[in-house]
Amino acid sequence: MNRGSLTQFTDAALSPLGWQQVREQRENVSASGMLEGIEVVITSPLLRTLQTSVGVFGSEEEQDHCGNKTSTLNHPPIIATELCRERMVCRSRATIGQCRSRFPQVDFSLIESEEDILWEADERETNEAVAARGIKFVNWLLGRKEREIAVVSHGVFLQETLIALKNKCLHLMDTDPFTRFGNCEIRSVIVFNERWEILDINLANSAKKKRKTR
């Protein structure tokens, strides 16, 4: 696709293939036991990552024999932050009011601005700026009380963050950790700081998006 046409696109939702990937990953996360250890899910506030976060890690309500809604598993809280959003280039997020209405399971209290004040049309965030934001994000994670965290973000952000971390993380996978993430792919890493405080992070890329013009 022509790079010059990117500014025509708004915040994209998941495609039918993306929803299929979410359903498959939800089954994998539940069957592997990963869900039981995750203490919190941190997500980008863009639409497809919110859909992926809730679709993979969110609670699935069903009715009991009395007609009351109940959740079959203990699912972790989901928190949105601007720090792990997509490279600032082509897509602005919805208002926080719209996000809260569509995703009541997600905590948006860390996002101060109702409107998207970070996005600027035709302004492209450099790889260096993405990496710097990634390091700031990881330092913020290290300051949290949880030790096992799932992060749902975007391919470029996740890749640049892992490259910037270099020797400060242990990759729990056989593949090259610095390659681009596949759609809805999960990679697990252990991150440590200078005091050797460790943090288990499960990094998930958003599922397949669909193209949507304004």
Side-chain angles (χ1 to χ4, degrees):
M1 182 178 62
N2 188 316
R3 182 65 64 182
S5 65
L6 283 175
T7 54
Q8 300 175 8
F9 290 85
T10 57
D11 192 5
L14 293 183
S15 67
L17 175 58
W19 281 115
Q20 178 183 336
Q21 293 168 339
V22 165
R23 289 191 293 270
E24 292 172 353
Q25 198 61 270
R26 183 183 182 90
E27 293 177 1
N28 293 337
V29 166
S30 298
S32 67
M34 179 188 298
L35 190 62
E36 298 174 5
I38 293 174
E39 299 170 72
V40 66
V41 177
I42 307 296
T43 182
S44 157
L46 294 187
L47 179 54
R48 63 188 182 279
T49 41
L50 291 171
Q51 290 174 320
T52 301
S53 298
V54 173
V56 174
F57 299 105
S59 61
E60 184 175 340
E61 292 184 336
E62 59 183 33
Q63 290 188 343
D64 61 18
H65 65 282
C66 295
N68 301 313
K69 288 186 176 181
T70 181
S71 178
T72 57
L73 293 174
N74 182 27
H75 291 264
I78 303 174
I79 301 173
T81 175
E82 302 272 29
L83 282 174
C84 64
R85 65 180 287 171
E86 186 178 28
R87 180 208 296 267
M88 310 295 182
V89 56
C90 58
R91 293 178 179 87
S92 60
R93 63 163 171 79
T95 66
I96 294 304
Q98 291 171 328
C99 291
R100 285 196 175 103
S101 177
R102 293 192 63 176
F103 302 97
Q105 294 185 42
V106 180
D107 179 358
F108 293 95
S109 61
L110 293 178
I111 301 178
E112 298 179 356
S113 175
E114 172 71 16
E115 303 292 335
D116 189 352
I117 62 174
L118 298 178
W119 176 80
E120 295 183 14
D122 300 322
E123 289 291 329
R124 181 181 179 83
E125 190 177 22
T126 65
N127 287 348
E128 293 77 13
V130 174
R133 182 158 56 87
I135 293 298
K136 182 178 180 180
F137 173 65
V138 171
N139 287 332
W140 176 76
L141 291 178
L142 285 166
R144 294 188 61 86
K145 64 180 181 179
E146 301 91 357
R147 293 296 89 188
E148 185 160 353
I149 297 173
V151 174
V152 182
S153 186
H154 309 269
V156 171
F157 176 82
L158 294 173
Q159 183 182 26
E160 292 298 330
T161 299
L162 287 178
I163 292 173
L165 284 172
K166 295 181 180 177
N167 296 325
K168 291 187 177 181
C169 64
L170 174 65
H171 303 273
L172 305 179
M173 66 202 78
D174 297 328
T175 57
D176 183 351
F178 303 120
T179 57
R180 184 72 174 269
F181 277 65
N183 290 320
C184 214
E185 179 186 357
I186 294 179
R187 299 182 189 177
S188 297
V189 299
I190 295 177
V191 178
F192 55 89
N193 61 16
E194 288 77 6
R195 297 188 300 275
W196 289 90
E197 296 172 334
I198 64 173
L199 179 69
D200 294 337
I201 306 180
N202 301 285
L203 303 169
N205 188 22
S206 64
K208 182 69 174 179
K209 63 178 178 290
K210 62 182 178 182
R211 303 294 183 186
K212 181 180 179 182
T213 58
R214 290 183 180 180

